[in-house]
């Protein structure tokens, strides 16, 4: 087994220029852990937020850091007592650990097997690697926090990004009516994913446009954009409706609103459910661009724009 690997690393917080491609030792595979050869790694906005040091109060980093929290790959070695997956199993994971250090923008990752689930077999490695973080975020926001039910209406703000793209499909699979909000260039894209209605936040007042579509208001707002888009949308929330945000912590909101902030948790059982949905053809992952490991800096610059459509993925 290889003792070293190529990985993107940084040794201090800062901009994308802090990231370089280096050769590092592969950590020893401990009790309950497996070594996974990474086939593809999804890129998320949190990867640059962690690199900039924005989350250091809650998520400590141990340098050098390998960024990246999403991956799909193949189990190549098992540690003592790790028996859930055979060598050769094709798995995927949201690999956020308590200390930020061993990420997925690398050839291999050592990870407790409890993080892993079998990956969907009917989609590419790149698409599978694009699911875990955004799929779990949408799942936990819509269903655990938002309690979305069949027949309800959900308004998704930022519905063309990684989280929103899966959010549209999960809400449709539940039998909800979906209104997606993004800019003009993504209106057709949101409809192809299943949105019943779409709104362009640049050319319309979001709340007024949604009230014209559903005068009784929406049951749930799933906020993946925040800012002015969120403020405008609030007038379209039913008095009994819920607001779930993955950005806004609620400090500038009317305390009368039924509000929950979600920070996505690893959950291998829910990853198993997402696999079933993908294999049933109810979940697809539009990968808008792939990058090599050597292009990690470009990938991190793209995700920092806040205007990525679907998912971008690194193939090491
Ligand atoms: N709390 C958590 O657990 C958690 C988990 C995942 C993500 N997040 C955060 O949630 C946000 C979304 O994540 P993501 O992965 O979906 O990001 P992303 O892939 O970068 O997508 C962002 C999307 O938002 C749209 N957008 C940008 N500005 C907007 C605005 N003012 N109004 C409405 N839509 C707008 C963009 O569409 P256009 O290009 O058409 O504008 C883009 O498609 C990020 O800030 C991320 O850090 C939090």
């Amino acid at each position: 087994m290889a003792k070293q690997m190529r990985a993107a690393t940084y040794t201090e917080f800062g901009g994308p220029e802090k990231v370089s491609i280096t050769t590092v030792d592969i950590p020893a595979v401990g009790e309950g852990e497996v070594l996974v050869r990474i086939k593809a790694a999804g890129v998320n906005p949190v990867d640059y937020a962690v690199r900039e040091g924005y989350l250091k109060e809650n998520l400590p980093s141990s340098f050098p850091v390998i960024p990246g929290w999403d991956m799909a790959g193949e189990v190549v070695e098992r540690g003592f007592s790790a028996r859930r997956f055979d060598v050769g199993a094709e798995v995927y994971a949201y690999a956020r650990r308590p200390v930020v250090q061993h990420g997925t923008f690398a050839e291999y990752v050592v990870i407790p097997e409890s993080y892993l689930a079998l990956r969907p077999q009917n989609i590419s490695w790149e698409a599978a690697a694009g699911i875990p973080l955004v799929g779990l975020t949408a799942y936990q926001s819509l269903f655990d926090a938002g309690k979305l039910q069949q027949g309800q209406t959900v308004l998704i703000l930022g519905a063309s990004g990684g989280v929103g793209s899966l959010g549209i499909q999960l809400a449709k699979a539940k039998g909800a009516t979906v209104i997606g909000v993004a800019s003009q260039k993504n209106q057709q894209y949101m409809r192809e994913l299943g949105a019943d209605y779409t709104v362009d936040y640049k050319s319309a007042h979001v709340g007024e446009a949604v009230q014209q579509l559903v005068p009784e208001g929406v049951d749930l707002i799933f906020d993946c954009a925040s800012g002015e888009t969120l403020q405008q949308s609030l007038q379209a929330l039913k008095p009994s409706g819920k607001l779930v945000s993955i950005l806004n912590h609620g400090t500038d909101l009317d305390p009368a609103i039924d509000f929950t902030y979600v920070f996505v948790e690893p959950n291998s059982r829910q990853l198993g459910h997402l696999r079933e949905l993908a294999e049933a053809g109810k979940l697809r992952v539009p990968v808008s661009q792939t990058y090599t490991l050597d292009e990690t800096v470009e990938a991190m610059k793209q995700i920092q724009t806040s205007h990525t459509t679907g998912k971008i993925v690194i193939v090491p």
Side-chain angles (χ1 to χ4, degrees):
M1 188 52 58
K3 294 266 187 282
Q4 291 195 308
M5 65 177 178
R6 296 180 76 236
T9 57
Y10 56 89
T11 53
E12 59 182 356
F13 294 126
E17 72 285 352
K18 299 288 182 191
V19 177
S20 57
I21 307 305
T22 53
T23 298
V24 299
D25 290 341
I26 298 174
V29 185
E31 194 270 325
E33 294 181 330
V34 295
L35 175 66
V36 178
R37 181 184 294 122
I38 295 171
K39 298 282 195 176
V43 182
N44 292 285
V46 75
D47 300 322
Y48 85 76
V50 170
R51 188 203 63 221
E52 295 279 357
Y54 299 155
L55 304 183
K56 63 185 176 191
E57 302 305 329
N58 297 316
L59 289 170
S61 289
S62 176
F63 297 108
V65 164
I66 300 172
W69 283 352
D70 264 344
M71 67 89 183
E74 185 181 0
V75 174
V76 291
E77 192 180 323
R78 304 189 297 183
F80 179 73
S81 89
R83 290 294 173 266
R84 275 182 64 203
F85 299 95
D86 294 332
V87 169
E90 298 189 355
V91 295
Y92 70 160
Y94 164 41
R96 171 167 70 79
R97 311 284 292 278
V99 174
V100 179
Q101 185 176 19
H102 298 300
T104 60
F105 298 168
E107 293 177 312
Y108 294 89
V109 68
V110 172
I111 183 167
E113 64 172 359
S114 58
Y115 283 73
L116 302 176
L118 293 174
R119 68 130 179 154
Q121 285 293 325
N122 61 325
I123 59 177
S124 66
W125 284 109
E126 290 86 344
I131 290 179
L133 190 151
V134 296
L136 290 173
T137 303
Y139 193 103
Q140 291 167 17
S141 299
L142 292 171
F143 305 136
D144 295 346
K147 312 275 186 240
L148 184 67
Q149 303 294 324
Q150 182 178 9
Q152 290 189 326
T153 300
V154 57
L155 172 62
I156 304 180
L157 311 177
S160 57
V163 179
S165 294
L166 272 75
I168 291 173
Q169 299 173 80
L170 290 177
K172 289 308 298 176
K174 186 75 179 176
T177 298
V178 177
I179 306 171
V181 179
S183 69
Q184 180 57 38
K185 71 176 185 335
N186 284 316
Q187 303 294 296
Q188 177 66 19
Y189 170 83
M190 293 187 288
R191 284 184 182 270
E192 284 168 7
L193 290 179
D196 299 282
Y197 307 100
T198 61
V199 174
D200 169 12
Y201 65 90
K202 289 186 179 167
S203 70
H205 183 285
V206 175
E208 289 170 7
V210 173
Q211 281 180 312
Q212 282 184 2
L213 293 168
V214 281
E216 70 278 16
V218 301
D219 299 287
L220 175 63
I221 296 175
F222 177 26
D223 171 37
C224 315
S226 221
E228 188 57 22
T229 298
L230 171 60
Q231 294 303 330
Q232 290 181 10
S233 73
L234 293 175
Q235 71 189 62
L237 184 64
K238 279 182 185 172
S240 60
K242 294 181 192 301
L243 167 62
V244 175
S245 181
I246 54 174
L247 286 171
N248 191 302
H249 290 250
T251 40
D252 57 347
L253 295 172
D254 179 347
I257 297 174
D258 181 349
F259 169 78
T260 308
Y261 168 76
V262 167
F263 190 77
V264 58
E265 290 289 327
N267 187 314
S268 65
R269 183 183 53 79
Q270 291 177 348
L271 282 181
H273 192 189
L274 292 168
R275 177 188 70 243
E276 288 166 8
L277 287 169
E279 291 183 343
K282 293 181 178 165
L283 199 60
R284 60 188 186 88
V285 185
V287 176
S288 55
Q289 200 167 346
T290 60
Y291 298 82
T292 65
L293 190 59
D294 290 311
E295 295 168 330
T296 297
V297 169
E298 282 68 41
M300 293 186 91
K301 284 181 181 169
Q302 169 56 37
I303 204 66
Q304 199 157 353
T305 65
S306 297
H307 294 290
T308 298
T309 300
K311 289 300 301 176
I312 61 171
V313 172
I314 292 171
V315 178

